[in-house]
Amino acid sequence: MKLRPYQEDLVNRARQSFRNGHQGVAVVASTGAGKTPVLCSIVAGAVSNGKRVVVLAHRMRLIKQISATLDRFGVCYQQAGRSRRNPYLCTVGMVESVRRRMDKMEAPDIIVVDELHHACSSQYLSIFQHWPKAKRIGLTATPSRTDGKGLREVCSDMVLGPSMAWLIENGYLARYRYLEIPLHINLDEIKKDKNGEYNEKSASGVIRKAHIVGDVIENYRKYLDGKTAIIFCTGIDHAKEVAAEFNAAGIKSSHIDGTMSESEQEHLLDSLGKGEITCLASADLIGEGVDVSNVYGVILLRPTQSVVVFLQQVGRALRLKSDGGKAIILDHVGNVRTHGYPADERKWSLDGAPKREGEIKSRTCDKCGRVFDAYTAQQTAEEECSEDPCPVANGISRPVVERITEVIDAELIEREDPWEWAGGIDPVLAAGAEYHALIAKADTEDKLKQIQRARGYNARWVTHMAVQKGLRKKTRSFSKYVGHK
């Protein structure tokens, strides 16, 4: 199996991290980057060097996906618990199975973890403590947890892969349209669990009390119109109700949840991929490790405080389309207000972030359009925002939340990423070749104005650059202008 160039680079940098003396390495690859091939390439390389490897995952679907990819790499392996003998160097198993049998297993040289953000739980930690000499490497799209806990406890180094924006710009993921409703449900009414995530039962009650936020079916017809979609709901009953409403409207749909057998789940996912059903309402199931082809859109009816959940859900629609079209994301619960756009730049850290009750993860300057991390927004905006006064730098307040007791008939409003055209280049930090690439991409005066505001340039810089790029004719008064900042 041949890796993509950026996947090969991730594998090489992960190996270099071990050579540099790190015991635990976190490999971060965006949703849709192809983490499983990277994981299996690392396993294949270790096994070929005579190393004993244990691969851990927390769901059987992930185990099956890893096993199928190891087959493509030609790696022989056994599944934990299937046999007392360990004829192969590689063992693949659910974390619970390995933990129960680790006393009977030979100590591995390397432990490989899929969906690493789960690795701070007691089950994983007990395995790491049982085999303290084993090196650890894990892959995740989001090294973040709702409880604010970092991964420093299990990893000492982080290897970052390409951003979602880069993957989109370079043709590995589909471009997207993101649409949200203009009003919120009252999120304050929803209770939270001990980790800060919205309680499923409470969220379901608030969502159902407000009926369905926005006319979901009307907006589905307006923006997706017969194309396949996954609808993320707050629970099983909610998923059943949504599927029933779609069926009643003549849109062939079903619901899927964790109480179903694996064969039934696989049948439903396969039917969605083939277009035999149009919409699938999910009750917290289609997230990690689910790669459904031919999905054109996602509809968000579940509010979440977890950026992990958010990115996994929107990522279901970002696979490339056979017709080259854009993915459609319909956000009926305002998750974009909490987490920003899917392709926004995110600064990951192994140290996690402080848990702050009710605080959203990003803040957007209404004037320049730039998105700031919530924990450092005010300080960063004071230093970098070119607007005066900057609404972010001059105090952060929670967004006004309106109470909704009836169905909202208002249309969704589309939110475009104002920097999508930049292809993932940070307009403030760009320098050297990146800066010149940013200027080259700015093919209108409006885009030049975006750069001018973001970098704090004098307004005459736009005129100067517009003349240079042939967007405006040179005038006599302009010939007297020297310098552009």
Side-chain angles (χ1 to χ4, degrees):
M1 184 174 180
K2 185 174 177 58
L3 296 181
R4 297 167 179 171
Y6 68 82
Q7 293 172 332
E8 290 181 349
D9 178 63
L10 273 176
V11 173
N12 291 334
R13 286 193 286 135
R15 290 171 178 162
Q16 184 59 50
S17 181
F18 280 141
R19 287 193 289 268
N20 291 342
H22 291 283
Q23 179 79 3
V25 179
V27 178
V28 180
S30 173
T31 301
K35 293 185 293 300
T36 304
V38 173
L39 180 152
C40 292
S41 178
I42 292 170
V43 173
V47 169
S48 68
N49 288 324
K51 302 296 184 182
R52 189 171 295 280
V53 181
V54 170
V55 182
L56 301 176
H58 70 294
R59 286 186 176 176
M60 184 52 67
R61 179 174 287 110
L62 296 175
I63 294 295
K64 289 182 176 179
Q65 185 174 307
I66 292 167
S67 299
T69 310
L70 285 174
D71 289 338
R72 296 179 65 186
F73 274 92
V75 176
C76 296
Y77 58 91
Q78 68 271 333
Q79 290 197 2
R82 293 294 176 87
S83 172
R84 291 185 178 181
R85 295 177 63 250
N86 290 330
Y88 303 122
L89 290 174
C90 179
T91 300
V92 180
M94 296 271 285
V95 62
E96 299 94 335
S97 299
V98 172
R99 187 178 63 83
R100 288 196 301 267
R101 296 171 176 85
M102 58 189 180
D103 288 332
K104 300 176 182 178
M105 296 172 60
E106 294 184 59
D109 299 294
I110 302 173
I111 302 172
V112 180
V113 181
D114 195 17
E115 304 297 350
L116 180 66
H117 48 275
H118 294 288
C120 290
S121 68
S122 59
Q123 288 185 326
Y124 285 91
L125 292 177
S126 65
I127 294 173
F128 301 152
Q129 291 162 4
H130 185 76
W131 291 315
K133 294 183 180 180
K135 293 182 182 296
R136 298 180 295 273
I137 186 167
L139 288 91
T140 179
T142 48
S144 172
R145 294 167 58 89
T146 311
D147 60 7
K149 196 173 183 179
L151 298 177
R152 181 72 66 183
E153 188 173 1
V154 295
C155 293
S156 58
D157 191 27
M158 182 166 59
V159 176
L160 291 173
S163 66
M164 183 182 289
W166 186 92
L167 292 168
I168 291 172
E169 180 69 15
N170 286 272
Y172 293 107
L173 293 178
R175 294 185 179 276
Y176 62 85
R177 294 179 65 193
Y178 198 108
L179 302 106
E180 65 160 335
I181 59 170
L183 300 175
H184 279 303
I185 58 172
N186 186 4
L187 298 178
D188 286 340
E189 292 184 1
I190 304 177
K191 297 178 182 178
K192 296 177 182 176
D193 60 26
K194 62 182 180 180
N195 292 324
E197 174 64 306
Y198 290 120
N199 176 273
E200 180 183 300
K201 184 176 181 180
S202 177
S204 180
V206 171
I207 297 291
R208 292 162 73 187
K209 175 184 173 183
H211 304 293
I212 292 180
V213 184
D215 190 340
V216 180
I217 293 174
E218 181 180 340
N219 283 309
Y220 166 81
R221 285 176 169 154
K222 181 175 181 180
Y223 296 105
L224 284 162
D225 193 23
K227 293 183 177 179
T228 51
I230 298 173
I231 310 168
F232 290 98
C233 304
T234 57
I236 296 175
D237 290 340
H238 187 212
K240 288 179 178 178
E241 290 174 8
V242 171
E245 290 196 29
F246 270 70
N247 280 315
I251 303 166
K252 191 172 182 180
S253 306
S254 184
H255 87 283
I256 185 171
D257 64 72
T259 66
M260 297 175 171
S261 66
E262 284 189 28
S263 59
E264 189 174 2
Q265 293 176 22
E266 294 299 332
H267 172 70
L268 287 169
L269 292 171
D270 187 54
S271 298
L272 181 69
K274 292 178 179 177
E276 295 171 356
I277 58 176
T278 307
C279 294
L280 193 58
S282 169
D284 197 22
L285 184 65
I286 306 176
E288 296 168 331
V290 179
D291 187 5
V292 186
S293 60
N294 199 35
V295 174
Y296 278 81
V298 295
I299 301 174
L300 306 181
L301 299 182
R302 174 195 171 184
T304 179
Q305 286 286 307
S306 169
V307 69
V308 177
V309 171
F310 172 69
L311 291 176
Q312 286 170 349
Q313 289 181 349
V314 298
R316 297 316 103 201
L318 295 180
R319 300 299 188 269
L320 294 174
K321 316 303 173 196
S322 56
D323 61 1
K326 291 185 177 182
I328 303 295
I329 302 168
L330 305 182
D331 183 352
H332 287 257
V333 287
N335 282 333
V336 69
R337 305 285 182 92
T338 304
H339 304 297
Y341 301 104
D344 280 348
E345 181 183 3
R346 289 174 168 82
K347 295 181 180 178
W348 302 117
S349 169
L350 292 175
D351 298 316
K355 180 181 176 184
R356 302 187 183 186
E357 186 72 17
E359 186 171 28
I360 66 175
K361 302 292 190 303
S362 62
R363 298 284 172 177
T364 304
C365 175
D366 294 331
K367 292 187 176 182
C368 73
R370 190 161 174 220
V371 178
F372 298 90
D373 173 77
Y375 300 128
T376 58
Q378 194 162 3
Q379 177 183 347
T380 306
E382 286 174 354
E383 296 172 354
E384 300 179 4
C385 189
S386 59
E387 298 297 330
D388 187 21
C390 172
V392 176
N394 283 277
I396 300 173
S397 59
R398 296 187 64 189
V400 176
V401 177
E402 297 191 29
R403 292 182 178 273
I404 298 173
T405 55
E406 300 296 331
V407 175
I408 298 172
D409 293 323
E411 291 184 358
L412 294 171
I413 57 173
E414 183 161 9
R415 294 190 62 161
E416 291 282 359
D417 181 353
W419 290 101
E420 182 180 358
W421 60 268
I425 299 174
D426 189 307
V428 175
L429 301 179
E434 262 201 342
Y435 176 78
H436 292 299
L438 179 69
I439 300 301
K441 288 174 180 289
D443 53 7
T444 67
E445 285 199 38
D446 285 339
K447 293 175 181 178
L448 290 172
K449 288 177 182 177
Q450 282 183 253
I451 297 172
Q452 172 255 320
R453 290 194 296 266
R455 298 180 74 94
Y457 290 167
N458 188 292
R460 289 176 295 176
W461 178 86
V462 176
T463 303
H464 174 73
M465 294 305 301
V467 171
Q468 277 196 352
K469 293 172 70 69
L471 300 174
R472 182 186 292 194
K473 291 183 178 179
K474 186 175 181 179
T475 63
R476 183 174 298 178
S477 59
F478 174 78
S479 63
K480 299 178 182 179
Y481 172 61
V482 177
H484 60 265
K485 289 188 180 182

